[in-house]
Each structure stands twice: as structure tokens, then as C-alpha cells.
Amino acid sequence: MCLCCCACGGGGSRPATTTVPPPAGGTAPTPPADPAFGLTEDNAQLLLDPAAPATLPWASAAAPFQLARRELTALHPAYLRLFLDWQALQPQAGRAADLAGPVSGCARTVGPCGPYPGLAGELAAIASRQRARRAAGQAGPEVLIDVVGAPRWAASAPSGCELQGAPAGARAVTPSAIGAYRQLIAGVLSLARSEGAEVRWWSPWNEPNDGLFLTPQRALCRPSSAPLSAAVYAQLARALASVLRRYAPQDSVVLGELNGQAPDSAHSTSVASFVAALPADVLCLGPVWSLHAYSPYGPGGGGGEPVAALERALARRGGCAADPPLWITETGAGAPHPGAPLTGSPVRELEACRALAADLQGWFSDSRVGAVFQYTFRDDPAYPVGLVSADLARVHPSYRLWLALTGETAGRDRLAPAPSFCGG
């Protein structure tokens, strides 16, 4: 038995627990090794194992969180991805990062809210899930930590072709602040051990080819200008790898975290151009490459296949980069242009789910794709492509799609993605 939120049509309120219905229509068998399911979600209240709240004083006993934990658990995530927001954790130079500072537990400003002690709470919650899996004779979930956001004191001064309106944390980390970056990583490693969480994977920076996360991308405001961002990313990747070699040699760097849809423009660098500009030694710092690929639909949808673009770019570099495993560490579907505000239309929600199913069909047939991460479980109001509404009151059809692929029914009968899993 596993939980199912019958999101037929455009989603809806949750019914009582029930078995997962068999998907409608016939499906072709999947390849022998399907991509693993990963999830980007950083709310400790949701990451807790359903049986764990009584053991942690900050754990919320509110019914919405209890139900959402069970729904998340029913997806059996093999990977969990957390953001390490450096600028929020260490706003002042010379002071250690506050890894246990209070977090509201809201979806930005949307309730329900359940406060918890920051990254320490997130790691404690994941540790509870890892212990439960071990007790059941199962592995995981493995953890990927992705660094984002330079504090003002660690960021470079405006230069080059700055993206107007880019967040302050998007500015490149100065060489003098690389030591503080290393200390941050070492501190998180120590915290994970103290909370009993196993962290295996680390990404140096989120979307380094996009000016919203790393600016400037170029010295001159011309798409043909040589990208600066690859060299900035290289110094971060080397710093991260050096910390792991010293303190956690069993851990690994995940390279890339690229915005797969970014074109060559004044403020973004395509996957092909970014990979081509990386120093040769950086290509060998980690065993896995990753990128983000969302699912647009409707008029103007599409925009190329970013996974194929990354595969071609790496093949051109050759050597250790020739054919590594690829992870899609962010995907999802919401509005026709992912990330735009949701309309709440049942028809649109179904169309979004079916677009995601179509993309998953291609990724499941690519033997290089080792994992696909949904962003997020709970809708992020600033980028709503999640599986459950921000207020935790309803589920989206994409939850049903993932449940069919990862839940207990899928464990008995291997399935290939199909739009029919979305309901409707």
C-alpha cells in the first residue's frame, strides 16, 4: 500500500489513503536501469521521516505536515538536494556561518509554517529518513548540496557586462574569499557528521552559466565575447574538491548544475560555450555532470534538448569528460513557461504534467541519464513547479506521474513514463 493523492484533472484535496491505481493504457517496458528519482526540497518539516517527529523538539505535529511527509515518503526519493545559501548563512565577514539559525518553515510567506533550526534541522531530518531506510534494509537517500549566493563581503565589485537587477549574491566570489568558501564547506561537513546525516555529493555553484546566479558572464555585452564565468566557476570547483580530498575523500563533486536552456547572450552562456571554456583540469574533478531542464508546453514551448547539448559538449572535450553519467538536478512543469505564476486551471495542470511525462520518456531512454530531480516537492511561490501546492492543501497531477514511476506499484511492475499517469 502507498499513498495516492488522486489529482485527476487539475489536482484537488486529498482523499483517504488508498492503493495506487494501475496506470491507464499499455506501456512499453523500460530499459534495465531507469534514472533514479531525486528531489530538491529544503523544508526540514517535510524532509522528516514520518515516524521521527516525536524525537525532535522542533518538529511540527500539524496535520498538513504529517500528511505531506507521508506523501513525500511514498515517492521513495533516492537523492535529496539542498541549497547552501552562503549569503544568508554568513552575512558578515569574520563570523562563522550560522548553520542552525531559525527558519520559518513557510513557503516564503505562505503557510502552514513550522519553524526549524536551519541547515542543522534539514540535515537532522534527512538523517531520520536515512536511519529509517537502513532499518528497512534499504539504501539512501543520498544527499547533494549545492552552493549558491556570495555574501556582499565575499563578492567582487561590479565589472564587465553586469546583469541589471541581478541579486547581490550573484556577483563572483573574490579570490581573497575562497578561503572562507573552503571553511564553509568544512563546517557543513562537520555539521552533517554531528547530525548523523550522510552527505555524499557537492556542487560548487548553482547555474554558473546564468547571470541571475553568476554575474558578469562576459566582459563585453556581446554574445561572442569570451565567457568569464567558466574561470570563476573553476576556482570554486577546485576549492570544493580540495576540501573534500582533505576531509571527506569518499565524497564527490557534481560538475555543472548548468541552466540547460540558457542561450549565448550578453548575460548567459550556453551549455556548449561554458563547457568549451572550462580549464581541462576542472573537467576531471567529479564523476558526474548535471544540468537543469524544465518542461515548457503550449505555443512557443520546447526550445531544444539540453541533455543532448551537454552530451555533445562533453564529447567534444573528450578524455575524462567524454561520457560521464548525467543528472538532471532540476526539472518540473507548471505554467506554459516554467516558473511563471500558476493559473490554477485544471486543463493547464494536466498539460504541464503531460509535458513533463514526454520529457521523462526521452530521459528514461538515455542510458547516460542516471538521476532526475524534481524541483520542488512543495511549490516555491517564486518558481511554482512543485508537486504539492504551497499551502499543502492540494496536489498537482505531476505528483501522480512521479508516484506511478517511484511508488510501491512501480517497484512491482517497472513502468515507462506515460502522459496517462497524470490522470484526467
Side-chain angles (χ1 to χ4, degrees), residues 3-423:
L3 296 173
C4 174
C5 299
C6 296
C8 300
S13 59
R14 298 174 176 83
T17 302
T18 182
T19 55
V20 180
T27 58
T30 55
D34 295 338
F37 173 63
L39 190 60
T40 296
E41 178 58 62
D42 61 3
N43 189 307
Q45 300 290 359
L46 301 176
L47 293 171
L48 274 168
D49 180 77
T55 67
L56 294 167
W58 49 263
S60 173
F65 284 119
Q66 291 178 330
L67 181 53
R69 289 170 194 138
R70 295 197 296 271
E71 289 167 334
L72 192 156
T73 300
L75 297 173
H76 304 297
Y79 296 96
L80 293 170
R81 175 172 172 261
L82 301 177
F83 284 115
L84 182 59
D85 189 347
W86 187 12
Q87 63 183 330
L89 297 172
Q90 196 175 14
Q92 293 184 323
R95 291 192 177 184
D98 185 0
L99 303 180
V103 173
S104 72
C106 311
R108 299 193 187 263
T109 59
V110 178
C113 305
Y116 61 87
L119 183 65
E122 294 164 20
L123 292 170
I126 291 173
S128 75
R129 198 167 283 273
Q130 291 174 332
R131 287 192 295 270
R133 291 287 291 268
R134 285 196 299 269
Q138 301 168 333
E142 296 185 7
V143 179
L144 166 61
I145 291 183
D146 188 1
V147 187
V148 64
R152 289 184 182 274
W153 56 266
S156 59
S159 64
C161 186
E162 284 272 326
L163 174 61
Q164 296 301 312
R171 291 219 173 96
V173 177
T174 61
S176 61
I178 290 296
Y181 175 90
R182 291 193 185 97
Q183 291 173 0
L184 174 72
I185 302 302
V188 176
L189 278 166
S190 177
L191 176 66
R193 289 174 182 140
S194 68
E195 296 293 344
E198 296 178 5
V199 177
R200 168 100 189 269
W201 305 94
W202 300 78
S203 176
W205 204 257
N206 187 61
E207 295 198 1
N209 63 326
D210 187 332
L212 286 173
F213 293 94
L214 186 57
T215 191
Q217 286 286 308
R218 304 174 191 280
L220 303 176
C221 290
R222 296 198 300 263
S224 59
S225 176
L228 301 175
S229 51
V232 174
Y233 176 82
Q235 70 173 354
L236 295 168
R238 290 170 180 141
L240 172 61
S242 70
V243 175
L244 298 184
R245 282 195 297 269
R246 180 174 182 181
Y247 297 110
Q250 73 282 0
D251 291 3
S252 298
V253 176
V254 173
L255 294 166
E257 287 293 321
L258 301 173
N259 180 337
Q261 266 94 18
D264 275 315
S265 71
H267 303 300
S268 63
T269 305
S270 69
V271 167
S273 296
F274 189 87
V275 171
L278 284 173
D281 68 295
V282 174
L283 301 172
C284 302
L285 289 179
V288 175
W289 280 77
S290 64
L291 82 166
H292 304 166
Y294 287 89
S295 298
Y297 60 94
E305 175 46 73
V307 174
L310 179 56
E311 290 175 344
R312 290 192 298 269
L314 293 172
R316 282 193 288 270
R317 293 302 304 265
C320 59
D323 60 350
L326 306 180
W327 290 358
I328 300 165
T329 46
E330 286 187 19
T331 193
H337 185 279
L342 296 175
T343 64
S345 162
V347 173
R348 283 284 176 86
E349 290 199 358
L350 276 172
E351 195 173 356
C353 180
R354 289 166 181 163
L356 178 58
D359 282 338
L360 287 172
Q361 286 176 339
W363 300 332
F364 270 52
S365 67
D366 186 339
S367 61
R368 295 270 299 276
V369 178
V372 179
F373 291 59
Q374 163 71 37
Y375 181 95
T376 48
F377 180 74
R378 184 183 190 178
D379 262 337
D380 176 356
Y383 205 88
V385 294
L387 302 181
V388 177
S389 62
D391 62 5
L392 301 181
R394 57 195 297 272
V395 295
H396 301 309
S398 296
Y399 178 84
R400 183 184 179 93
L401 168 65
W402 279 117
L403 186 64
L405 296 171
T406 65
E408 293 181 14
T409 296
R412 294 193 300 269
D413 182 15
R414 298 177 73 83
L415 302 170
S420 59
F421 296 174
C422 297

